[in-house]
């Protein structure tokens, strides 16, 4: 029983440490574009050059623009930003663009699928990376519930 | 006590033997190094074409073709769902298709392509698995589903990028299957291997699908094939040359019954990827691992000069703190290994970093054209597509 408690604490500690490091990275990333993670409850980073079936559900979802939700588009090409902003009719004022590749370099998102960061008081409480999930819409439902 | 001349004789014999051993060892070492006999020389000839807002200068799906003594280059822009065909002689757009995902003229959401002629484009759709024949106006004139082969086995195609490109030979379309072993944690078992054909052949007239009896090389059995990539080309003797990214070698087949393995003759020491399944859960670790390993990303056969160009994604041993993964993966550092028609070494050609885009190149009667649209090239512009001609020269 004691051993179980030790393992539990160890896992908890490891998990928290991992999320703390990620929080620092995400904070640095968002700050570098003049924003504050404390203003958001869910941050979704989308690789604009990812496959359309991978990124489309997240882009469509972002059109709802709930309070506390931030969409970040990442690409090295202006054409990719323009294409997505125009075809999806996104509000440019509400989208953060990452033309410096920072999110990919920092390992915050893959080059294929979006990644969701669930935040509470500026700290990551959950990461849902669509690259590791087969249930994309399940993640979106979770975002909905979290933002309620 | 031995007489002096006898001691001298023994010493001489020892000296001669030592010299011979040295000569033998030295001779053997020499054979490990291939002498570069040829190189690819930068020519003053280049192509520069203005491209529109829904076209790209980086595509892993391009095809050079000729028709009525005119040179064309077809470039698929996946993110814009468009295929642009450029007249290379006039350096202008010849034709452009905008693909639709909805409506009667819609295609699969992901696809590759191969041009049968300047008037007939074949689009290989992956989801759903349908082959579309397009006319000169980009209209679908015929569809061939390829969900299952004649033995009712599911076809599992891979992306048609780079060396995975579809190939047409004698009215048969060859598409590269996806190689996976998910049910055995990425380890290729002998059962997986028996069910892993190296190509899928589809008759373009009848739609009949033939899965060749030739399977993945046996030496892959027991190896982790997670993330294994492959590439292949076709030579002028109708033989296919394959490379599998976790094996240092080329595999040649002319009958799809057996392979002949050939060592890759280069002076470069490869550090290939292996056991990639280990890095699967950590994205940064996985990307870093990819960048620190070498990979042959494409093979081009030059039918005009009867040689092969192996395009190598060269590893970076020391990655910085925050490497620019996207740029490094899209615009790899690299070099080209030139092999003759018998796959013997002709030369290793190292290209300057941040200048050429190695995922965009094609062979013409004049030589090898390599894209100059590297994102870090100071003259890079998203509005232009530029290629530099390299000619094969004897050293």
């Amino acid at each position: 029983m004691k051993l179980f408690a030790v393992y539990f604490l160890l896992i908890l500690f490891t998990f928290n440490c991992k999320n703390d490091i990620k929080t620092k990275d995400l904070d640095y990333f968002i700050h570098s574009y003049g924003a504050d993670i404390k203003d958001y409850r869910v941050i979704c980073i989308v690789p604009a050059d990812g496959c359309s079936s991978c990124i489309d559900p997240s882009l469509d979802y972002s059109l709802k623009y709930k309070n506390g939700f931030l969409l970040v588009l990442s690409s090295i090409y202006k054409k990719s930003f323009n294409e997505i902003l125009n075809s999806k009719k996104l509000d440019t004022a509400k989208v953060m663009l990452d033309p410096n590749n920072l999110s990919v370099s920092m390992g915050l998102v893959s080059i294929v699928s979006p990644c969701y960061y669930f935040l509470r008081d500026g700290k990551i409480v959950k990461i849902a990376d669509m690259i590791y999930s087969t249930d994309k819409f399940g993640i979106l439902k979770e975002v909905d519930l979290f933002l309620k | 006590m031995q007489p002096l001349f006898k001691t001298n004789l023994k010493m001489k014999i020892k000296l001669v033997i030592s010299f011979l051993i040295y000569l033998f060892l030295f001779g053997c070492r020499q054979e490990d190094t291939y002498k570069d006999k040829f190189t690819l020389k930068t020519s003053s000839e280049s192509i520069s074409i203005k491209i529109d807002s829904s076209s790209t200068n980086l595509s892993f799906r391009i095809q050079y073709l000729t028709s009525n003594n005119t040179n064309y280059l077809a470039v698929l822009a996946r993110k814009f769902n468009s295929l642009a065909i450029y007249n290379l002689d006039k350096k202008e757009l010849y034709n452009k298709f905008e693909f639709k995902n909805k409506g009667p003229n819609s295609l699969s959401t992901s696809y590759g392509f191969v041009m049968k002629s300047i008037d007939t484009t074949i689009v290989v759709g992956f989801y759903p698995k349908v082959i579309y024949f397009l006319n000169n106006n980009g209209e679908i004139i015929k569809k061939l589903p390829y969900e299952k082969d004649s033995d009712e086995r599911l076809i599992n195609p891979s992306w048609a990028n780079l060396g995975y490109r579809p190939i047409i030979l004698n009215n048969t379309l060859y598409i590269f299957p996806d190689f996976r072993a998910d049910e055995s944690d990425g380890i290729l078992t002998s059962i997986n291997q028996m069910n892993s054909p190296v190509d899928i052949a589809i008759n373009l007239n009848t739609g009949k699908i033939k899965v060749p009896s030739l399977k993945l090389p046996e030496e892959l059995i027991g190896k982790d094939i997670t993330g294994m990539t492959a590439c292949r080309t076709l030579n002028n003797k109708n033989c296919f040359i394959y490379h599998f990214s976790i094996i240092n070698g080329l595999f040649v087949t002319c009958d799809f019954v057996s392979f002949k393995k050939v060592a890759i003759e280069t002076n470069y020491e490869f550090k290939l990827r292996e056991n990639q399944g280990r890095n699967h859960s950590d994205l940064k670790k996985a990307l870093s691992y990819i960048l620190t390993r070498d990979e042959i990303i494409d093979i081009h056969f030059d039918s005009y000069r009867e040689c092969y160009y192996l395009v190598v994604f060269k590893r970076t041993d020391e990655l910085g703190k925050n490497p620019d993964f996207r740029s490094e993966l899209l615009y790899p550092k690299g070099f080209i290994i030139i092999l003759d028609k018998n796959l013997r070494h002709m030369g290793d050609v190292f290209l300057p970093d941040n200048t050429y885009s190695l995922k965009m190149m094609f062979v013409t009667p004049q030589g090898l054209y390599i894209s100059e649209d590297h994102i870090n090239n100071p003259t890079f512009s998203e509005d232009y597509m530029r290629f530099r001609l390299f000619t094969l020269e004897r050293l």
Side-chain angles (χ1 to χ4, degrees):
Chain A
M1 192 64 193
K2 273 182 187 171
L3 206 63
F4 173 77
V6 170
Y7 279 137
F8 180 74
L9 286 171
L10 207 66
I11 289 166
L12 206 71
F13 177 73
T14 315
F15 180 76
N16 277 343
C17 271
K18 214 172 172 182
N19 269 359
D20 277 352
I21 294 165
K22 278 279 179 196
T23 300
K24 273 186 187 170
D25 285 349
L26 187 67
D27 187 30
Y28 173 83
F29 170 69
I30 298 295
H31 246 105
S32 63
Y33 289 112
D36 191 337
I37 58 167
K38 284 179 185 152
D39 295 338
Y40 303 101
R41 290 170 64 206
V42 174
I43 295 175
C44 167
I45 308 178
V46 176
D49 302 300
C51 71
S52 48
S53 61
C54 306
I55 66 173
D56 274 358
S58 294
L59 295 172
D60 294 338
Y61 177 84
S62 74
L63 288 170
K64 294 180 186 175
Y65 285 120
K66 287 194 175 171
N67 264 349
F69 182 88
L70 175 67
L71 175 74
V72 182
L73 284 181
S74 177
S75 175
I76 44 178
Y77 305 109
K78 280 181 200 154
K79 280 185 181 179
S80 300
F81 288 137
N82 291 340
E83 200 276 327
I84 287 181
L85 293 171
N86 292 335
S87 66
K88 295 286 174 188
K89 296 184 175 60
L90 298 176
D91 184 349
T92 47
K94 290 180 178 171
V95 179
M96 179 185 280
L97 301 182
D98 171 27
N100 301 331
N101 262 342
L102 209 57
S103 55
V104 178
S105 302
M106 294 177 74
L108 293 169
V109 69
S110 74
I111 51 176
V112 183
S113 297
C115 186
Y116 285 82
Y117 292 90
F118 295 75
L119 302 149
R120 196 166 285 140
D121 303 324
K123 282 195 171 180
I124 297 171
V125 289
K126 191 182 174 177
I127 302 170
D129 195 333
M130 283 192 168
I131 201 166
Y132 302 123
S133 171
T134 47
D135 185 14
K136 292 179 178 60
F137 294 98
I139 292 176
L140 297 178
K141 272 183 195 165
E142 217 178 324
V143 174
D144 250 349
L145 282 173
F146 194 80
L147 288 173
K148 262 185 185 172
Chain B
M1 194 172 165
Q2 286 182 332
L4 193 60
F5 82 93
K6 265 196 174 177
T7 315
N8 275 346
L9 187 70
K10 271 188 179 174
M11 272 185 73
K12 275 179 188 169
I13 291 168
K14 275 183 185 171
L15 262 170
V16 169
I17 289 171
S18 304
F19 179 69
L20 285 173
I21 289 170
Y22 177 77
L23 205 70
F24 178 71
L25 288 173
F26 186 72
C28 280
R29 285 187 73 83
Q30 272 287 307
E31 276 184 16
D32 285 341
T33 312
Y34 301 103
K35 194 175 175 234
D36 283 341
K37 297 185 278 280
F38 284 81
T39 191
L40 289 165
K41 195 178 162 195
T42 317
S43 138
S44 57
E45 179 75 29
S46 67
I47 296 169
S48 178
I49 301 172
K50 179 111 171 82
I51 58 173
D52 63 23
S53 61
S54 63
S55 297
T56 181
N57 57 18
L58 179 69
S59 170
F60 307 150
R61 299 167 194 180
I62 67 171
Q63 187 188 342
Y64 164 78
L65 72 158
T66 54
S67 178
N68 296 325
N69 293 324
T70 307
N71 297 291
Y72 297 97
L73 184 72
V75 180
L76 184 72
R78 189 187 52 78
K79 68 183 161 195
F80 302 117
N81 279 324
S82 69
L83 178 71
I85 304 162
Y86 299 98
N87 180 324
L88 294 177
D89 304 321
K90 290 185 176 171
K91 297 181 174 65
E92 64 181 27
L93 185 70
Y94 165 75
N95 203 353
K96 191 173 180 185
F97 307 144
E98 305 277 353
F99 298 137
K100 291 176 178 64
N101 289 331
K102 286 172 189 164
N105 209 38
S106 65
L107 300 173
S108 307
T109 48
S110 54
Y111 45 82
F113 84 102
V114 57
M115 294 200 73
K116 201 174 171 216
S117 69
I118 194 68
D119 300 319
T120 309
T121 305
I122 292 172
V123 172
V124 183
F126 302 130
Y127 304 106
K129 293 167 198 164
V130 178
I131 292 162
Y132 306 89
F133 292 70
L134 310 184
N135 65 13
N136 210 15
N137 299 319
E139 294 157 346
I140 299 168
I141 50 171
K142 185 179 166 185
K143 288 183 191 179
L144 283 178
Y146 67 98
E147 196 71 37
K148 288 175 181 174
D149 69 11
S150 47
D151 295 327
E152 290 295 299
R153 283 174 299 197
L154 277 173
I155 303 287
N156 192 18
S158 69
W159 306 114
N161 290 346
L162 301 168
Y164 286 87
R165 60 180 66 82
I167 290 174
I168 296 178
L169 172 64
N170 301 330
N171 218 33
T172 297
L173 176 73
Y174 289 86
I175 54 173
F176 226 160
D178 192 19
F179 306 115
R180 300 177 77 105
D182 296 345
E183 65 280 15
S184 49
D185 285 335
I187 307 296
L188 189 78
T189 63
S190 46
I191 296 165
N192 294 141
Q193 189 261 346
M194 289 300 289
N195 292 310
S196 301
V198 291
D199 244 295
I200 298 154
I202 303 169
N203 185 305
L204 290 175
N205 287 335
T206 62
K208 198 176 169 194
I209 301 167
K210 196 181 165 196
V211 176
S213 55
L214 187 60
K215 312 297 180 203
L216 279 177
E218 279 182 12
E219 68 176 278
L220 284 169
I221 295 172
K223 289 195 165 135
D224 182 354
I225 62 163
T226 311
M228 180 183 82
T229 57
C231 51
R232 55 120 159 78
T233 192
L234 175 70
N235 69 14
N236 55 357
K237 293 197 169 64
N238 295 345
C239 298
F240 284 76
I241 292 87
Y242 291 83
H243 169 71
F244 303 95
S245 65
I246 58 174
I247 300 179
N248 188 349
L250 297 170
F251 292 83
V252 184
T253 183
C254 301
D255 53 11
F256 276 113
V257 174
S258 63
F259 271 135
K260 181 188 163 202
K261 187 182 175 186
V262 181
I264 299 171
E265 296 192 354
T266 174
N267 291 319
Y268 182 79
E269 207 167 302
F270 283 118
K271 200 171 166 187
L272 300 175
R273 296 180 204 160
E274 53 185 14
N275 300 323
Q276 288 190 85
R278 283 184 200 160
N279 302 322
H280 213 55
S281 57
D282 187 329
L283 182 65
K284 200 168 178 180
K285 204 172 149 191
L287 294 174
S288 299
Y289 183 78
I290 287 171
L291 289 181
T292 52
R293 293 294 183 276
D294 300 297
E295 183 189 358
I296 295 173
I297 55 171
D298 207 350
I299 309 174
H300 296 271
F301 178 67
D302 184 337
S303 58
Y304 310 99
R305 286 152 286 270
E306 289 201 308
C307 65
Y308 297 88
Y309 306 117
L310 272 58
V311 186
V312 183
F313 178 135
K314 194 161 78 72
R315 69 179 181 268
T316 304
D317 289 323
E318 294 294 326
L319 294 174
K321 196 186 167 197
N322 282 329
D324 185 351
F325 289 118
R326 189 172 290 158
S327 301
E328 298 276 353
L329 291 168
L330 292 176
Y331 302 96
K333 296 182 180 77
F335 70 100
I336 294 169
I337 300 169
I338 316 169
L339 301 175
D340 72 9
K341 62 180 178 181
N342 300 314
L343 298 168
R344 304 304 305 264
H345 181 83
M346 287 173 77
D348 296 334
V349 183
F350 288 83
L351 299 164
D353 292 344
N354 300 320
T355 309
Y356 299 105
S357 175
L358 296 181
K359 292 188 172 179
M360 288 268 280
M361 59 176 79
F362 57 94
V363 177
T364 72
Q366 289 73 42
L368 179 69
Y369 278 92
I370 304 177
S371 167
E372 292 183 302
D373 298 316
H374 189 293
I375 191 87
N376 295 335
N377 189 327
T379 56
F380 177 86
S381 164
E382 284 186 56
D383 301 323
Y384 285 88
M385 184 173 66
R386 303 163 311 155
F387 291 93
R388 173 71 50 188
L389 175 66
F390 285 76
T391 52
L392 187 69
E393 305 282 341
R394 187 179 282 277
L395 287 168

